Amino acid sequence: MQAWQVSEPGAAPTLGSVDSPVPVKGEIVVRVEAVGLNFADMLSIQGKYQVRHPFPYVPGMELSGVVETLGPETEGPAPGTRVLSTCSSGALAEHVALPATRVCPLPDCMSFAEAAGFPIAYGTSHLALTHTARLRTGETLFVTGAAGGVGLTAVEIGKRLGARVIASARGKDRLEIARAAGADVLIDSEAPGLKEALRAEGGVDVVYDAVGGPAFDAALRACRPEGRLLAIGFASGEVPQIPANLLLVKNLTVSGFWYGGMETHAPSLVAASLAELLRWRAEGLIRPHVSHVLPFDAFPEGLALLRDRRATGKVVIRLQQQ
């Protein structure tokens, strides 16, 4: 089968032929229809992600497709079922073997392209806001990178949970996308005075930060007493250094959130979250935003869209099945 591979840390991915997977007990083979790209894919290719893959490896962490075969003595969706799944790697291939417990049937309303970029971004925002930050109705939520893959879902879910949402993104066009997702207040991330702008809005109760860098420090200083800050990622390349004295004087809480870690140590919580999100989607309460759908051979172009921050919402690679 055809698959993208990375030979060594930092090497350019190459498209070539690899062995097709054969499922063992507990596994399902899925014919991949679409793959969602994540910022983590770039870090993984560079050998800088928290999960280090032995090289060469096939990248790709989330996908949609059709069940082809089940391993021996394995219960799961029947062959022909449309499904989505996450995986630590291996999605950017024509077929992938997955644990049966990680495969979830799709509602009829979801296309393959939409489903491929659904679980990680929405799952991250849903669990971070409901389980970790415990966002409450009427609170103010500040989201950095609010037009990006996870940031846009945080805006949408925050609004769904009854929060007043302040969104930060670069430029008018990206801010308008955040507004369409439910943001109440828009702040251009390139404008000076973020701390002052947040304080002028009355401060914030919860910070959802996927960018890092100076924005995290500004939001920290604009938090109300007992505010909660979520460290989701560091797209800016700068990991914030947190002055503990500020945490003390305002009784603030800073929490990290990593969806992959939750899948490992709290799988039942992740499953319940995904079930609720898919129910919301089926009821039309959330509407995923996919800005680019590219063919299989354009995977490097998709990575460039993420690297250069030219995408909004999700970038999806669509395999051209015959």
Side-chain angles (χ1 to χ4, degrees), residues 260-283:
M262 295 294 286
E263 287 182 307
T264 299
H265 75 258
S268 60
L269 191 63
V270 169
S273 169
L274 182 57
E276 181 167 27
L277 287 165
L278 289 172
R279 185 165 58 250
W280 285 1
R281 176 63 189 96
E283 294 172 0

Side-chain angles (χ1 to χ4, degrees), residues 34 36 198 236-237 304:
L198 293 173
S236 69

Side-chain angles (χ1 to χ4, degrees), residues 193-261:
L194 176 59
K195 178 183 70 175
E196 291 74 19
L198 293 173
R199 285 180 172 176
E201 293 294 334
V204 297
D205 299 296
V206 174
V207 176
Y208 182 102
D209 179 44
V211 177
F216 185 95
D217 184 70
L220 174 68
R221 296 172 188 276
C223 273
R224 295 170 177 163
E226 298 190 359
R228 289 90 73 201
L229 296 92
L230 294 162
I232 303 297
F234 315 108
S236 69
E238 184 177 340
V239 178
Q241 303 302 303
I242 301 167
N245 62 308
L246 294 183
L247 306 184
L248 184 149
V249 297
K250 286 189 177 181
N251 294 297
L252 304 179
T253 301
V254 177
S255 301
F257 186 90
W258 174 38
Y259 191 71

